[in-house]
């Protein structure tokens, strides 16, 4: 198992700057953000120019990683592959294929994305639509030696009422998507707030957990008794603010990282545990974000065999 980090938390820095810092901080791998240069969400980051990515760019990227003793665990493009607008959906699929091409050029085995959801339709029609869309994407990736991994994020902010916007949030849905030959970028934080014990989900799906993200979550005592599990309904100016929990860096929330890492080892996980930093307490400036990443490293490094 290697300890890595997702680069998306440092959108203003270049990949070269992040690689130098991450190596000095003791990280072993990068999960590289590969959104387009422009996008709709404020946390989108573009650390790899996948449009027009060729032999020269691949060689330069490999040399950069080698210089800092780092690997690339996956490329990250977490978008809504079932977007209700046909034009936007086509744009997403086009860019996803470019990310897959870049991964193939770099011999990176995984590209991370979301299943997503058409939030104007019920779950069943969405699953039917996904069963038409994803086999083509999986085939495109497979022909290039790449696997598509899906993060189990709920993406409640994508739904107008705060309901799941990414149909990959539970083991029930994992079993469905595994039938499409998709793999899992397993993240315990999302399981925690929807009432699923993360540790219990590792053993049954160990053969499909090929990459994992390390993000913590802190439940604010008593707040759920006011809002319920779906979060704020009347005054929800920020679609991502449920009002009763918040993301934290590992070691500052409710996830039992000793149990998580132990279960990953017990079930043969040999991939990368990649820190995904979305902690609001350690955000706002580059210095605070890096401090958050240092906290995560201090928490997880002692648990992972060198």
């Amino acid at each position: 198992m290697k300890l890595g980090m997702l680069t998306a938390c440092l959108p203003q820095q270049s990949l070269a700057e992040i690689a130098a810092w991450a190596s000095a901080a003791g990280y072993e791998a990068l999960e590289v953000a590969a959104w387009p240069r422009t996008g709709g969400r404020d946390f989108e980051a573009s650390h790899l120019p996948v449009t027009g990515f060729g032999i020269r760019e691949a060689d330069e990227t490999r040399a950069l990683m080698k210089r800092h003793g780092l690997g690339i665990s996956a490329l990250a493009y977490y978008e809504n592959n079932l977007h209700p607008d046909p034009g936007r959906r086509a744009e997403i699929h086009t860019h996803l294929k470019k990310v897959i091409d870049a991964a193939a050029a770099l011999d990176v085995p995984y590209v991370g994305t979301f299943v997503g959801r058409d939030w104007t339709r019920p779950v069943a029609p969405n699953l039917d639509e996904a069963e038409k869309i994803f086999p083509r994407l999986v085939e495109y990736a497979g022909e290039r030696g790449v696997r598509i991994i899906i993060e189990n994020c709920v993406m409640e902010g994508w739904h107008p009422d705060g309901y799941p916007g990414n149909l990959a949030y539970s083991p029930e849905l994992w079993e469905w998507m595994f039938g499409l030959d998709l793999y899992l970028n397993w993240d315990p934080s999302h399981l925690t707030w929807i009432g699923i014990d993360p540790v219990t989900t590792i053993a049954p799906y160990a053969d499909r957990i090929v990459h994992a993200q390390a993000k913590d979550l802190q439940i604010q005592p008593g707040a759920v008794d006011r809002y319920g599990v779906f979060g704020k309904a009347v005054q929800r100016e920020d679609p991502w603010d449920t009002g009763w929990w918040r993301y934290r860096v590992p070691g500052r929330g409710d996830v039992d990282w000793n149990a998580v890492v132990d279960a990953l080892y017990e079930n043969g996980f040999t991939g990368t545990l990649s820190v995904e930093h979305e902690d609001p307490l350690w955000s706002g400036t580059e210095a605070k974000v890096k401090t958050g990443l240092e906290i995560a490293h201090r928490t997880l490094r002692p648990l992972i065999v060198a």
Side-chain angles (χ1 to χ4, degrees):
M1 194 187 311
K2 291 184 178 180
L3 181 57
M5 56 166 280
L6 174 60
T7 66
C9 59
L10 294 166
Q12 303 306 317
Q13 287 208 303
S14 69
L15 183 58
E17 291 170 325
I18 294 172
W21 183 87
S23 177
Y27 283 98
E28 300 169 280
L30 297 181
E31 182 182 1
V32 179
W35 274 266
R37 290 295 179 185
T38 59
R41 299 205 304 276
D42 59 3
F43 59 81
E44 288 176 351
S46 182
H47 292 130
L48 205 65
V50 298
T51 298
F53 194 85
I55 295 174
R56 180 176 62 84
E57 289 80 6
D59 287 345
E60 290 174 351
T61 303
R62 284 197 196 91
L64 172 67
M65 295 297 112
K66 184 177 181 180
R67 190 159 62 247
H68 294 292
L70 296 169
I72 298 179
S73 63
L75 301 188
Y77 177 52
Y78 290 95
E79 261 297 353
N80 187 354
N81 285 284
L82 296 178
H83 199 287
D85 179 78
R88 179 62 184 135
R89 184 188 294 186
E91 289 175 355
I92 290 167
H93 293 175
T94 297
H95 189 76
L96 178 59
K97 290 178 178 178
K98 293 177 182 178
V99 178
I100 292 168
D101 290 340
L106 289 166
D107 296 317
V108 172
Y110 307 120
V111 167
T113 191
F114 290 135
V115 170
R117 177 179 186 168
D118 177 349
W119 57 82
T120 69
R121 306 175 73 193
V123 171
N126 270 276
L127 300 187
D128 290 342
E129 185 71 8
E131 288 170 4
K132 300 173 186 175
I133 289 171
F134 274 95
R136 295 193 295 270
L137 295 171
V138 168
E139 182 180 13
Y140 186 91
E143 290 172 347
R144 290 155 179 79
V146 176
R147 290 176 176 175
I148 296 177
I149 57 174
I150 303 293
E151 185 189 346
N152 56 287
C153 183
V154 183
M155 294 306 289
E156 67 286 348
W158 276 352
H159 194 288
D161 294 321
Y163 303 147
N166 174 37
L167 297 178
Y169 56 85
S170 67
E172 177 190 24
L173 288 163
W174 300 351
E175 292 169 2
W176 160 79
M177 74 181 194
F178 294 158
L180 303 178
D181 208 21
L182 296 165
Y183 288 78
L184 190 61
N185 191 6
W186 182 87
D187 185 325
S189 64
H190 311 298
L191 295 165
T192 300
W193 78 264
I194 63 174
I196 297 174
D197 179 354
V199 176
T200 66
T201 70
I202 295 174
Y205 306 105
D207 62 330
R208 289 281 167 166
I209 300 174
V210 295
H211 196 276
Q213 288 187 329
K215 184 165 61 184
D216 216 327
L217 183 133
Q218 183 180 44
I219 293 173
Q220 299 171 40
V224 71
D225 296 330
R226 172 171 173 79
Y227 299 116
V229 295
F230 302 112
K232 294 178 179 179
V234 178
Q235 294 180 328
R236 190 168 179 160
E237 296 178 2
D238 180 350
W240 303 102
D241 179 17
T242 67
W244 67 275
W245 59 264
R246 59 185 178 180
Y247 292 126
R248 302 302 310 273
V249 292
R252 294 294 188 267
D254 299 328
V255 173
D256 185 342
W257 291 103
N258 282 282
V260 163
V261 174
D262 196 44
L264 287 171
Y265 270 122
E266 182 178 3
N267 289 281
F269 180 76
T270 58
T272 296
L273 182 60
S274 178
V275 174
E276 182 183 18
H277 182 345
E278 294 182 349
D279 188 328
L281 268 68
W282 295 106
S283 295
T285 67
E286 180 185 316
K288 290 179 72 174
V289 169
K290 288 180 176 178
T291 298
L293 291 168
E294 289 167 350
I295 293 170
H297 185 273
R298 287 198 301 269
T299 299
L300 297 172
R301 181 72 268 174
L303 306 180
I304 298 174
V305 179

mmCIF file of all heavy atoms in Angstrom, residues 144-159:
data_model
loop_
_atom_site.group_PDB
_atom_site.id
_atom_site.type_symbol
_atom_site.label_atom_id
_atom_site.label_comp_id
_atom_site.label_asym_id
_atom_site.label_seq_id
_atom_site.Cartn_x
_atom_site.Cartn_y
_atom_site.Cartn_z
ATOM 1 N N ARG A 144 -7.229 0.422 -24.145
ATOM 2 C CA ARG A 144 -6.010 1.193 -23.884
ATOM 3 C C ARG A 144 -5.332 0.769 -22.579
ATOM 4 O O ARG A 144 -4.417 1.446 -22.105
ATOM 5 C CB ARG A 144 -6.353 2.692 -23.864
ATOM 6 C CG ARG A 144 -6.715 3.211 -25.254
ATOM 7 C CD ARG A 144 -7.610 4.429 -25.220
ATOM 8 N NE ARG A 144 -7.885 4.889 -26.592
ATOM 9 C CZ ARG A 144 -8.792 4.318 -27.400
ATOM 10 N NH1 ARG A 144 -9.495 3.268 -26.972
ATOM 11 N NH2 ARG A 144 -8.982 4.773 -28.623
ATOM 12 N N GLY A 145 -5.800 -0.323 -21.998
ATOM 13 C CA GLY A 145 -5.175 -0.843 -20.790
ATOM 14 C C GLY A 145 -5.497 -0.057 -19.537
ATOM 15 O O GLY A 145 -4.715 -0.073 -18.576
ATOM 16 N N VAL A 146 -6.636 0.625 -19.516
ATOM 17 C CA VAL A 146 -7.026 1.475 -18.402
ATOM 18 C C VAL A 146 -8.349 0.973 -17.820
ATOM 19 O O VAL A 146 -9.233 0.533 -18.562
ATOM 20 C CB VAL A 146 -7.179 2.949 -18.848
ATOM 21 C CG1 VAL A 146 -7.681 3.829 -17.713
ATOM 22 C CG2 VAL A 146 -5.842 3.475 -19.389
ATOM 23 N N ARG A 147 -8.482 1.048 -16.516
ATOM 24 C CA ARG A 147 -9.737 0.724 -15.846
ATOM 25 C C ARG A 147 -10.394 2.014 -15.342
ATOM 26 O O ARG A 147 -9.704 2.919 -14.860
ATOM 27 C CB ARG A 147 -9.511 -0.210 -14.666
ATOM 28 C CG ARG A 147 -9.115 -1.634 -15.062
ATOM 29 C CD ARG A 147 -8.822 -2.462 -13.836
ATOM 30 N NE ARG A 147 -8.539 -3.844 -14.162
ATOM 31 C CZ ARG A 147 -8.154 -4.771 -13.282
ATOM 32 N NH1 ARG A 147 -8.000 -4.433 -12.009
ATOM 33 N NH2 ARG A 147 -7.924 -6.011 -13.667
ATOM 34 N N ILE A 148 -11.710 2.073 -15.446
ATOM 35 C CA ILE A 148 -12.468 3.206 -14.905
ATOM 36 C C ILE A 148 -12.862 2.885 -13.475
ATOM 37 O O ILE A 148 -13.466 1.839 -13.206
ATOM 38 C CB ILE A 148 -13.715 3.497 -15.758
ATOM 39 C CG1 ILE A 148 -13.310 3.937 -17.171
ATOM 40 C CG2 ILE A 148 -14.567 4.586 -15.092
ATOM 41 C CD1 ILE A 148 -14.488 4.168 -18.100
ATOM 42 N N ILE A 149 -12.502 3.781 -12.567
ATOM 43 C CA ILE A 149 -12.855 3.614 -11.158
ATOM 44 C C ILE A 149 -13.866 4.688 -10.772
ATOM 45 O O ILE A 149 -13.775 5.833 -11.209
ATOM 46 C CB ILE A 149 -11.617 3.656 -10.239
ATOM 47 C CG1 ILE A 149 -10.818 4.962 -10.417
ATOM 48 C CG2 ILE A 149 -10.715 2.456 -10.515
ATOM 49 C CD1 ILE A 149 -9.665 5.111 -9.431
ATOM 50 N N ILE A 150 -14.828 4.294 -9.957
ATOM 51 C CA ILE A 150 -15.924 5.167 -9.559
ATOM 52 C C ILE A 150 -15.823 5.452 -8.066
ATOM 53 O O ILE A 150 -15.774 4.526 -7.248
ATOM 54 C CB ILE A 150 -17.292 4.517 -9.861
ATOM 55 C CG1 ILE A 150 -17.417 4.160 -11.349
ATOM 56 C CG2 ILE A 150 -18.425 5.433 -9.409
ATOM 57 C CD1 ILE A 150 -17.474 5.332 -12.295
ATOM 58 N N GLU A 151 -15.806 6.718 -7.696
ATOM 59 C CA GLU A 151 -15.836 7.071 -6.284
ATOM 60 C C GLU A 151 -17.266 6.987 -5.767
ATOM 61 O O GLU A 151 -18.203 7.406 -6.451
ATOM 62 C CB GLU A 151 -15.283 8.483 -6.059
ATOM 63 C CG GLU A 151 -15.193 8.848 -4.585
ATOM 64 C CD GLU A 151 -14.859 10.312 -4.346
ATOM 65 O OE1 GLU A 151 -14.446 10.995 -5.300
ATOM 66 O OE2 GLU A 151 -15.029 10.766 -3.198
ATOM 67 N N ASN A 152 -17.414 6.484 -4.558
ATOM 68 C CA ASN A 152 -18.733 6.309 -3.956
ATOM 69 C C ASN A 152 -19.249 7.571 -3.265
ATOM 70 O O ASN A 152 -19.983 7.497 -2.276
ATOM 71 C CB ASN A 152 -18.719 5.150 -2.953
ATOM 72 C CG ASN A 152 -17.668 5.307 -1.861
ATOM 73 O OD1 ASN A 152 -16.474 5.155 -2.124
ATOM 74 N ND2 ASN A 152 -18.096 5.588 -0.651
ATOM 75 N N CYS A 153 -18.917 8.731 -3.810
ATOM 76 C CA CYS A 153 -19.418 10.000 -3.276
ATOM 77 C C CYS A 153 -20.912 10.130 -3.576
ATOM 78 O O CYS A 153 -21.369 9.783 -4.668
ATOM 79 C CB CYS A 153 -18.656 11.160 -3.900
ATOM 80 S SG CYS A 153 -19.123 12.773 -3.248
ATOM 81 N N VAL A 154 -21.663 10.652 -2.634
ATOM 82 C CA VAL A 154 -23.112 10.817 -2.812
ATOM 83 C C VAL A 154 -23.424 11.954 -3.780
ATOM 84 O O VAL A 154 -24.410 11.900 -4.520
ATOM 85 C CB VAL A 154 -23.790 11.065 -1.452
ATOM 86 C CG1 VAL A 154 -25.303 11.163 -1.603
ATOM 87 C CG2 VAL A 154 -23.437 9.947 -0.459
ATOM 88 N N MET A 155 -22.604 12.972 -3.808
ATOM 89 C CA MET A 155 -22.796 14.150 -4.666
ATOM 90 C C MET A 155 -24.197 14.739 -4.499
ATOM 91 O O MET A 155 -24.897 15.038 -5.468
ATOM 92 C CB MET A 155 -22.509 13.808 -6.129
ATOM 93 C CG MET A 155 -21.059 13.469 -6.395
ATOM 94 S SD MET A 155 -19.882 14.736 -5.835
ATOM 95 C CE MET A 155 -20.181 16.035 -7.024
ATOM 96 N N GLU A 156 -24.573 14.922 -3.253
ATOM 97 C CA GLU A 156 -25.906 15.457 -2.940
ATOM 98 C C GLU A 156 -26.105 16.870 -3.460
ATOM 99 O O GLU A 156 -27.234 17.286 -3.729
ATOM 100 C CB GLU A 156 -26.155 15.397 -1.428
ATOM 101 C CG GLU A 156 -25.281 16.308 -0.573
ATOM 102 C CD GLU A 156 -23.834 15.834 -0.433
ATOM 103 O OE1 GLU A 156 -23.530 14.675 -0.802
ATOM 104 O OE2 GLU A 156 -23.009 16.637 0.046
ATOM 105 N N GLY A 157 -25.020 17.617 -3.645
ATOM 106 C CA GLY A 157 -25.128 18.980 -4.154
ATOM 107 C C GLY A 157 -25.559 19.054 -5.603
ATOM 108 O O GLY A 157 -25.961 20.120 -6.076
ATOM 109 N N TRP A 158 -25.489 17.943 -6.326
ATOM 110 C CA TRP A 158 -25.944 17.907 -7.715
ATOM 111 C C TRP A 158 -27.456 17.780 -7.830
ATOM 112 O O TRP A 158 -28.011 17.989 -8.907
ATOM 113 C CB TRP A 158 -25.299 16.727 -8.447
ATOM 114 C CG TRP A 158 -23.931 17.031 -8.971
ATOM 115 C CD1 TRP A 158 -23.299 18.232 -8.998
ATOM 116 C CD2 TRP A 158 -23.025 16.090 -9.563
ATOM 117 N NE1 TRP A 158 -22.060 18.106 -9.562
ATOM 118 C CE2 TRP A 158 -21.861 16.813 -9.921
ATOM 119 C CE3 TRP A 158 -23.081 14.729 -9.823
ATOM 120 C CZ2 TRP A 158 -20.762 16.202 -10.529
ATOM 121 C CZ3 TRP A 158 -21.984 14.119 -10.427
ATOM 122 C CH2 TRP A 158 -20.838 14.853 -10.780
ATOM 123 N N HIS A 159 -28.105 17.363 -6.761
ATOM 124 C CA HIS A 159 -29.562 17.191 -6.790
ATOM 125 C C HIS A 159 -30.221 18.419 -6.168
ATOM 126 O O HIS A 159 -29.794 18.898 -5.122
ATOM 127 C CB HIS A 159 -29.975 15.929 -6.028
ATOM 128 C CG HIS A 159 -31.375 15.494 -6.273
ATOM 129 N ND1 HIS A 159 -32.461 16.181 -5.759
ATOM 130 C CD2 HIS A 159 -31.890 14.461 -6.986
ATOM 131 C CE1 HIS A 159 -33.575 15.571 -6.138
ATOM 132 N NE2 HIS A 159 -33.257 14.526 -6.881
#
